[in-house]
Amino acid sequence: MKLSLNPQAINDVLDGRWAEGRRRGRELALDPRSHEDPADDLETTRAKTLVGVGLMADSGLPLVSLPPELGGKNQHATNVAGFEETVTAAPSLQIKAGVQFGLFGGAILHLGDAEQHKKWLIDVQTGKLLGSFAMTEIGHGSDVASVATTATYDVDAEEFVVTTPFRAATKEYIGNAARDARAAVVFAQLVTAGVNHGVHAFFVPVRDESGDPMPGISIEDDGYKGGLKGVDNGRIAFTEVRIPRTNLLNRYGDVSADGTYSSPIDSPGRRFFTMLGTLVQGRVSLDGAAIVASKIALDIAVRYGLERKQFNSVDEIEETTLLSYQQHQRRLMPALAAVYASNFAHDKLLASFEEVFSGADDSEENRAVLETRAAAFKADTTWMALDVIQECREACGGAGFMAENRLVGLRADMDVYATFEGDNTVLLQLAAKRLLGDYAKEFSNLDIGGVARFIGTRAAEHSLYRTGLANAGTAISDVFSGNLSEKRIRSGRLQRTLLENRVESMVASVAQNLRPAMKMSQAAAGELFNSTQHELIEMARAYVELEKWKALDEKMKEQTDADQAKVFRRLRDTYGLTLIERHLGWHLMYGRLPMFRARQINDTLNRLCAKLAANALDLVESFGYGDEHRRATIATGVEAQRQAEAADYFRRARAQEDFPVDEKHLRKAEKAAAKAAAKAAAKSGNRSGSKAGVK
Amino acid sequence: MKLSLNPQAINDVLDGRWAEGRRRGRELALDPRSHEDPADDLETTRAKTLVGVGLMADSGLPLVSLPPELGGKNQHATNVAGFEETVTAAPSLQIKAGVQFGLFGGAILHLGDAEQHKKWLIDVQTGKLLGSFAMTEIGHGSDVASVATTATYDVDAEEFVVTTPFRAATKEYIGNAARDARAAVVFAQLVTAGVNHGVHAFFVPVRDESGDPMPGISIEDDGYKGGLKGVDNGRIAFTEVRIPRTNLLNRYGDVSADGTYSSPIDSPGRRFFTMLGTLVQGRVSLDGAAIVASKIALDIAVRYGLERKQFNSVDEIEETTLLSYQQHQRRLMPALAAVYASNFAHDKLLASFEEVFSGADDSEENRAVLETRAAAFKADTTWMALDVIQECREACGGAGFMAENRLVGLRADMDVYATFEGDNTVLLQLAAKRLLGDYAKEFSNLDIGGVARFIGTRAAEHSLYRTGLANAGTAISDVFSGNLSEKRIRSGRLQRTLLENRVESMVASVAQNLRPAMKMSQAAAGELFNSTQHELIEMARAYVELEKWKALDEKMKEQTDADQAKVFRRLRDTYGLTLIERHLGWHLMYGRLPMFRARQINDTLNRLCAKLAANALDLVESFGYGDEHRRATIATGVEAQRQAEAADYFRRARAQEDFPVDEKHLRKAEKAAAKAAAKAAAKSGNRSGSKAGVK
């Protein structure tokens, strides 16, 4: 059952094309000055996190993504991969650094012009100018188009006047705001010459040299949150704050001195989505960060599960190791498989991210693919991380609840990943609309006008999205045809067909349901759309699951070492069958899977998980982390040491004459003796009886 | 759709028979001196929690469960119900009070004799003598029989010598230990005259008057955990600690001065389970506490969901309230239904708890039912609470992540409920074994000897357990017979039959799988058992789900007010169909549900959730909590106030002449104008053309 694996070789596969970035990030994460201690108070934790941000800046990593004219290398994925790995130091560090370099710096890079780059960008990416990314308001988070802060151009002064018109328009949950930011990129409705041109980004100084808020700026501290203690979130409100005209980040929209608005993109809707699209890095890196956090949790739980023993279920004396229990395997091994699948899907996401942002292929189509995947993957993976970390925490019992074993802290920090940078349910709907748009384009001869109404400007405009779903159409009948030789449930073709077919059928079903919408009033159409919302979201998750499965399947096929290929197959089948089991009702209800085959799944998964458990240590060792990344007492071997001490004690004690005997053994012996005596008595009675009879 | 409901009337149904205890608990929870503040440091939080424990003691509630001769009322459920409600003050308070009065006091009450009661119990229940319950060790949590601390009788000194023989035998995660306990009930292997009589409980002073550890006692602080910051968990180790012989809590096992052991229960296994069985209160109260925490979370999330608006999906200007969205309804309404079902199932658990502990019916059979249900319900409900609170937190978006809105703190505190007082997976196996035992007894004419091997001493000895499963056997075919008039998927009979049939089939299947075990070696039998572990655990959860559904169904049938009965039916159907949807694969795979009927479930749930959402405020109002129980900023109406401010601003702004017009409206107007001009031009062209033609 156990395969001979080389964790270093598997680590190379996992780290993939951006291995260098990952190694740099992992190296950075080792510095104890940025490590949180649960006993630290809020300000100490924030200060440590800032030290970590400084270390990252000093490493030069944030400069890598800049264009060559600013001393950068125009490398985007390396940079992101490195950031993701700093989750092993602390998710707070990844987020605070993400705000500073990815969002604040990223907005200047992508939304500003060359002059603005020169003025601010080097200072930002070297950590000299600390900043915030002020988009979300109390009243509007995921619906960015509705933010209510205004920036009104004053033609006489050649300045914008930034204002928070009412309380709900206060910028909220803004990272770096409560303590460290000197400036912020503020998203506000740009108004000039009596026209509101929609949301644009502005560079606004928020604190002076001594750290006091600038005139007209009021800042409040968000205080304690469910996690991310090292990130100083806060609220920012503006009362007639004046900034120079040239502080408008003007790549996609500018205002001339006389107040004339101009933009290279004519359609206000398209312009808005293009601006937002440049900020996709945040979602990409959350996808990756959630994978890193899941890896650390599994690394800890698997190591503990291989040492910790409880209950002597197989042997009279020797207790059983946790990971030998079937349920323990069923808790942790599917999680391991999901993390592997997510890892390879994320690598493909990074590849597309690199293509778009390096300029190698920044076509409209490629951007659309990137944005759709980033949104959908971020949603699925951040939820996966919460489930995986919680499973790991429970699998470690009470020890898992101790802060010193990291799991509870990791989970608390990752919690908000499910709702920030776009609420997961909103992001999945965004992805779902793209899938519908594709479908509408592909079958444009059909009357599916209703769909067009909902898929939004951007989705309606982009060219055919490459889901590849069109191929799945007829495959389902092939798989169950008499010609099929792969009869076992582990057939990759079967898994792929089921997963593909589910996405395609759901897309077709939703599109069909939306057909009448075109002829309806807005209210009626809105209600019709709402009545499919649950299915829409399920459909987008089904799409991500398929994409992750395919990424793992592809990677499996690349493996040349026999045992390594075998373990990848086990991972793929475990992931695939877990997905099919999760949606088994669907596959059966629509006749995709015969009942007898469905009944094989549970046992097959049991066997697969047992096989994976035999190599569980190799599979977590392959993540490439050391004790100093895990920093969990229970994963350092103390459990095995304690057990050795206990075993040693019992060995020595039993050797002594006065070691107490167990009452239950005495009772057994008594019973046995009584039985023997009764037997003997009966025998002798019989004998004397027969003797008497003879007499 | 909206029913006319009276929340006070529903509250009476929810509070049920122990309403007085609940009201006392809720009253106690209002005192702000025991409320945690996330900004407080560890010691301040602990001190506040201790204040809360003092308030509870002062209220006299902990005395209610004592026998009349000690001034009590021999009322057990009232007491527990009251404790459960203190979760609204803080889960730390419920746990610290639970340790003090329920575990420390409970152990003295149930395991000690009248003299010991007189000596300690009043001081304990009035909070004068603070104590710990020292059962779990680093090496053994859920497997209590294996704890390794020893209490060896020294006949010369007439004392027990309590010792921690090795590091893994250190008492761990012991509540009250790090800071407050003066004494502890310590579970240790009782050794006298060279015989180990198994685990017994001893009263051991651990700190002197001034708070310093007693000689031979070493105490360490567990420090920071994932939650329950107010509970001072710690480790206790004993180095030859001497206690008087009479400190053995001697109800089920005693040692005379000369070292002779005696017990009213002959079998060591049965004795052990009897002793543990008396401590069932802990699990009962965790079941109830998890329900209270879920209620508070839903109360907060529903109120916010009814005020918060986002995206204008139905109306051009007015944004849509979160709880109008289908997915939001699907997130929160099934959670609400599950909480109602759990509430009524818990009430039945309390009734059985009261029967057993008041002595009204403490038969072996009744105790077995109580213990099985307490174990299984605690597991299912604590997991439910984690899911429900997380769903609520995410449903509140970023605001849900702020500590001031309670949800993250509640979840962090409830996290450990899944693994303490018995790990949930272990507890479900315990319940599963009882179900198997029942099955074995019921069909004792069958050869299912293999089952007997695993169901344990206690389960094998208890009389037939009243699952009522025997009745389910033939019902499935009835439901689908031609005679059936209830054709709709909302049929209660259909739901019940499916849920019952699932439990029964799983029990029969596992029993069948275990048949060969009797003829196997221990190792082989252990492996066979392990190979069914996953199904075994699923089977126990299926049993709890059925019991909860039945409790809600019964309560529904009791309702006389038409609308109230109707909302209970909606809740029951939502709970029932959610369960059936969750296990849809199973029901289809084994042919219990036709495919066409399965396909109705999703839409039916969508409609049910929309209906429940119409009365969501009534349904949370019925929980009986006020602002001072919720203490969540977002649930106080601030959101509605902020929206009113914003609406007011826009109303006034639009009335002004210089209010900017949206560029997108301008573009629309331009397009329309261009179109009109083109049309006009074409028309006039046509006209002139035709004119020309006429010419």
Side-chain angles (χ1 to χ4, degrees), chain B residues 204-246:
Chain B
V204 183
V206 297
R207 281 194 179 83
D208 61 22
E209 289 289 303
S210 63
D212 292 323
M214 301 286 279
I217 304 265
S218 84
I219 301 180
E220 281 177 68
D221 193 328
D222 278 328
Y224 285 85
K225 308 181 298 286
L228 295 185
K229 198 168 151 193
V231 182
D232 53 321
N233 291 85
R235 299 178 197 95
I236 312 178
F238 307 90
T239 312
E240 311 244 323
V241 174
R242 290 185 163 265
I243 53 168
R245 180 181 64 92
T246 49

Side-chain angles (χ1 to χ4, degrees), chain A residues 138 140 167 196 226 271 308 319 326-327 383 394 401 530 533-534 588-589 599 645 661 663, chain B residues 138 140 167 196-197 226 271 308 319 326-327 383 394 401 533-534 589 595 599 645 661 663:
Chain A
I138 294 177
H140 290 96
R167 203 160 40 131
N196 179 353
R271 187 192 308 143
R308 176 72 173 183
E319 293 179 311
Q326 184 185 61
Q327 184 68 2
W383 272 333
E394 292 182 28
F401 193 61
N530 190 34
Q533 194 185 28
H534 183 65
L588 285 161
M589 187 159 70
R599 289 195 294 267
E645 278 174 30
V661 57
E663 186 193 342
Chain B
I138 295 176
H140 290 95
R167 203 161 39 131
N196 178 353
H197 293 276
R271 188 192 307 144
R308 176 73 173 181
E319 292 178 312
Q326 184 184 63
Q327 184 69 0
W383 272 332
E394 291 182 28
F401 193 61
Q533 194 185 28
H534 183 63
M589 187 159 70
M595 298 198 305
R599 290 194 295 267
E645 276 174 31
V661 56
E663 186 194 341

Side-chain angles (χ1 to χ4, degrees), chain B residues 17 65-68 73-77 109-110 251 350-364 366-367 370:
Chain B
R17 196 169 139 197
S65 61
L66 298 192
K73 293 182 178 173
N74 192 25
Q75 286 178 355
H76 301 265
L109 176 62
H110 298 301
R251 182 162 162 198
L350 280 180
S352 135
F353 174 69
E354 182 71 19
E355 256 179 24
V356 167
F357 284 86
S358 68
D361 176 3
D362 62 350
S363 64
E364 179 84 1
N366 218 17
R367 280 185 182 262
L370 171 62

